[in-house]
Amino acid sequence: MSTVVDTHHDDQHASRGLVPWLMRWITTTNHKDIGTLYLLFALVMFFVGGSMAMVIRAELFEPGLQFVNPVRFNQMTTVHALIMVFGMIMPAFVGFANWLVPLMIGAPDMALPRLNNWSFWLLPFATGLLLLTLFLPGGAPAGGWTMYPPLVLQTGDAFPFLIFAVHLLGISSIMGAINIIVTIMNLRAPGMPLLKMPMFVWTWLITAYLLLLAMPVLAGGVTMLLTDRFFGTSFFSAAGGGDPVLFQHIFWFFGHPEVYIIILPAFGIVSEVIPTFARKPLFGYAAMVYATASIAFLSLVVWAHHMFTTGMPLAGQLFFMLTTMIIAVPTGVKIFNWTATLWKGSLTFETPMLYALAFLFLFTLGGFSGLMLALVAADIQYHDTYFVVAHFHYVLVPGAVFGAFAGAYYWMPKWTGHMYDEKLGKLHFWLTAIFTNVTFFPQHFLGLAGMPRRIPDYAPQFADFNMISSLGAFGLGLSQLIFVWVVIKCIRGGPKAMAMVWDHPSGLEWTVPSPAPHHTFSEPPEIK
Amino acid sequence: MSGPSLRSPETDARRVGRRDAALAAKIRGNTWLLAGFAVAFYLGYIAWNFFRGPL
């Protein structure tokens, strides 16, 4: 196993020709290269998963069946979710971690560079396996990303591909989590105690521990599915003495922390962006750290709020309702502290700040609909309706995706050495923000009116809001092409970025030139 | 520490080497501990479900 004392053999980054160029990217152990690979991979998957969303919304544009049969529709919803969660947003934040954690703590690289390379290169194979199922007899998995038995056990030839893909994705995530924990705990520059680390590093440290606690449980669950299907066990088969609801417990013991695994790094990015553009230090740094840790802890004891309709005892319903609602307290602390950071700041509204502010407002809306869903009596009405779809898309799109966009615009000049096109960035922001709301806000009304989720056809009274939602989705999808153009333009040229890109940002990453050199902090910096 | 011999480049290099070796060992230890935890959690959870319920 390689550690920090290894020297990298990546001087070939200067080499020319297709094969050396390919080998450089395949064999790289440099954290910046691997961060770039993660980010580009996530961007590609954003469009792959997004194209499936376009199929879903095209089908739902009007009542009746238009483009795909119901089985294909269910395959689209299942693979869209799996790709967006495991192939897009998680790799995007791991990309940020790879690029930024060593720079922020003054480390020369990740502690385990070869493991880092392996973590990344598992991803294309895992997502490739998943996407391959679209072309298998019987098609892709169609039982939902939650993979509930007994439905998922009816999947055709795609079943073992699904299980193997989830295992690979899990192994990749666990290795990434171990690498991040070990890096942060061992390679901080002298003079940087834990409570002096940037918030982004803190949120990733906590996220990595969550990954380590949640992922093995998912892996265990899907292994048990595999043995139920092929090796005669009955973990989840009532006929054999097992219990299908057990899988729901296992899945959501992973699934709810997963929500926070996705959102905590976005919290970290927003905690870096808001102070920079408010020109004030983050309000209540220590409280932010403790709030993040509290959210992570609570996320491990709320899982059954996804299962209120399975017939659990009243005491269980009350416990999970109350713990879920308690999460609002540390989350409220964070929202308050970001708002307090803005208070009397010298605000400017560059693209990263616009995304961070939209995050603040819209994520809070998503949080409020989460509180509505936490109420057992209300949840029994909302369960499996479009209200739930609206809720989690408000958390994941304006939450996680806007957080990722804020971070991408914030650090893009540091990564590429060029300033991005601010006008295009702002255009991208406004179109994305408007179309996100046009897409997902009407889904609240659809859910409250009783439209079930995961259906390709619906009653005529749902037609208007579905049409609005679909138009919004097409606009949202098209707007993302602007981002691709911004990234290409920024990589190819533009005004040169200085080391300190913004007006007095804090953090060690701004002390190195832009673009950040291939090797940084060979000698650890002194923190005063 | 003082004395000209302790400040020689060779001694410095040895000291840095020792520190790096100790750090590398600590990193390896941390890594195996976390990996062991993940594997134990994964296998332990399956085993617990296997032996806990009638199959």
Side-chain angles (χ1 to χ4, degrees):
Chain A
M1 193 175 295
S2 117
T3 65
V4 69
V5 290
D6 275 357
T7 50
H8 299 302
H9 304 285
D10 46 12
D11 284 342
Q12 66 266 43
H13 61 259
S15 37
R16 295 282 177 270
L18 183 65
V19 174
W21 182 83
L22 270 178
M23 287 310 288
R24 176 233 164 160
W25 286 103
I26 291 170
T27 61
T28 183
T29 53
N30 183 286
H31 73 102
K32 299 181 188 85
D33 281 354
I34 295 173
T36 303
L37 286 171
Y38 267 110
L39 289 166
L40 292 177
F41 179 79
L43 187 58
V44 171
M45 286 300 126
F46 186 42
F47 282 92
V48 172
S51 65
M52 292 170 193
M54 295 300 105
V55 174
I56 294 166
R57 285 317 317 173
E59 182 54 55
L60 294 173
F61 186 75
E62 57 184 19
L65 294 178
Q66 275 75 234
F67 302 104
V68 286
N69 63 43
V71 174
R72 201 60 163 176
F73 182 88
N74 287 339
Q75 292 172 5
M76 287 291 114
T77 57
T78 303
V79 183
H80 161 74
L82 288 167
I83 290 289
M84 286 305 205
V85 169
F86 292 109
M88 191 280 281
I89 199 70
M90 285 174 70
F93 286 132
V94 179
F96 279 102
N98 259 289
W99 247 104
L100 296 163
V101 166
L103 282 179
M104 285 178 162
I105 63 173
D109 203 311
M110 298 295 279
L112 306 153
R114 280 186 241 167
L115 193 76
N116 204 14
N117 174 287
W118 191 18
S119 300
F120 171 75
W121 282 109
L122 280 178
L123 268 185
F125 292 100
T127 45
L129 272 180
L130 200 56
L131 292 172
L132 193 68
T133 59
L134 288 164
F135 307 101
L136 287 177
W145 84 290
T146 50
M147 300 177 281
Y148 283 175
L151 185 60
V152 75
L153 297 173
Q154 296 168 19
T155 308
D157 293 349
F159 182 75
F161 286 75
L162 168 71
I163 301 299
F164 191 39
V166 172
H167 275 125
L168 286 180
L169 292 162
I171 292 168
S172 168
S173 295
I174 289 170
M175 291 196 305
I178 290 173
N179 210 347
I180 288 168
I181 293 170
V182 173
T183 303
I184 297 171
M185 298 312 284
N186 290 287
L187 296 184
R188 296 193 310 279
M192 185 183 279
L194 287 173
L195 275 173
K196 257 182 140 180
M197 293 194 309
M199 266 315 290
F200 179 73
V201 180
W202 255 115
T203 54
W204 245 115
L205 180 64
I206 292 166
T207 301
Y209 275 112
L210 268 185
L211 269 168
L212 211 57
L213 286 168
M215 274 292 171
V217 176
L218 174 71
V222 296
T223 303
M224 287 188 265
L225 280 179
L226 191 78
T227 59
D228 270 11
R229 170 81 179 256
F230 293 111
F231 300 103
T233 58
S234 303
F235 287 108
F236 309 123
S237 163
D243 184 359
V245 177
L246 170 65
F247 183 82
Q248 296 193 25
H249 282 289
I250 293 174
F251 182 84
W252 288 114
F253 184 82
F254 147 80
H256 202 79
E258 172 68 16
V259 174
Y260 291 94
I261 287 165
I262 289 172
I263 202 67
L264 290 184
F267 285 179
I269 290 172
V270 168
S271 300
E272 301 294 330
V273 170
I274 288 180
T276 295
F277 296 99
R279 290 161 184 80
K280 279 175 65 190
L282 184 67
F283 182 87
Y285 168 85
M288 291 294 251
V289 172
Y290 296 129
T292 309
S294 307
I295 290 170
F297 171 74
L298 287 169
S299 79
L300 291 164
V301 292
V302 298
W303 76 89
H305 68 214
H306 295 270
M307 301 163 54
F308 283 148
T309 57
T310 56
M312 72 174 73
L314 182 65
Q317 290 182 336
L318 287 174
F319 174 81
F320 286 107
M321 178 173 78
L322 289 173
T323 49
T324 304
M325 292 190 142
I326 289 170
I327 292 192
V329 176
T331 310
V333 169
K334 294 187 84 81
I335 303 284
F336 177 85
N337 284 2
W338 287 321
T339 312
T341 307
L342 293 168
W343 180 250
K344 291 191 176 175
S346 302
L347 306 181
T348 53
F349 300 97
E350 288 85 346
T351 309
M353 181 63 155
L354 290 174
Y355 270 111
L357 292 177
F359 165 95
L360 195 54
F361 182 65
L362 296 174
F363 176 78
T364 307
L365 276 185
F368 277 130
S369 58
L371 279 175
M372 292 167 73
L373 287 164
L375 290 161
V376 178
D379 181 79
I380 288 167
Q381 299 298 314
Y382 303 148
H383 189 83
D384 263 349
T385 70
Y386 252 83
F387 190 82
V388 179
V389 179
H391 156 68
F392 70 72
H393 278 97
Y394 258 87
V395 176
L396 293 177
V397 181
V401 176
F402 279 25
F405 279 140
Y409 282 105
Y410 186 58
W411 285 295
M412 208 186 300
K414 180 58 64 190
W415 297 336
T416 63
H418 302 117
M419 286 306 291
Y420 62 86
D421 188 324
E422 188 66 49
K423 271 188 190 159
L424 280 179
K426 282 186 173 156
L427 179 68
H428 175 228
F429 165 76
W430 283 110
L431 291 176
T432 303
I434 290 166
F435 283 127
T436 295
N437 287 291
V438 175
T439 306
F440 299 115
F441 208 80
Q443 294 178 2
H444 290 106
F445 305 132
L446 288 169
L448 291 174
M451 178 170 159
R453 62 191 289 202
R454 294 178 176 142
I455 52 161
D457 189 10
Y458 49 83
Q461 70 264 31
F462 302 131
D464 291 347
F465 281 132
N466 266 300
M467 188 180 285
I468 295 168
S469 179
S470 290
L471 288 172
F474 301 144
L476 183 58
L478 285 174
S479 313
Q480 303 321 306
L481 296 173
I482 301 170
F483 181 68
V484 176
W485 179 233
V486 170
V487 172
I488 292 171
K489 223 177 142 190
C490 195
I491 291 171
R492 291 179 63 175
K496 291 291 285 177
M498 294 179 297
M500 202 167 273
V501 176
W502 308 107
D503 196 10
H504 300 297
S506 68
L508 287 173
E509 75 270 30
W510 306 108
T511 62
V512 301
S514 301
H518 210 58
H519 298 285
T520 38
F521 300 128
S522 302
E523 288 297 317
E526 278 291 335
I527 315 288
K528 289 173 189 134
Chain B
M1 283 191 202
S2 62
S5 64
L6 288 177
R7 284 203 302 269
S8 71
E10 294 79 18
T11 314
D12 276 352
R14 266 204 303 278
R15 201 181 304 131
V16 168
R18 253 201 318 273
R19 202 174 55 222
D20 279 357
L23 182 60
K26 192 170 167 228
I27 285 171
R28 268 197 299 274
N30 286 182
T31 305
W32 284 115
L33 180 71
L34 293 170
F37 169 79
V39 172
F41 202 16
Y42 166 65
L43 293 176
Y45 201 71
I46 296 173
W48 178 59
N49 276 295
F50 188 82
F51 291 112
R52 187 196 60 117
L55 288 172

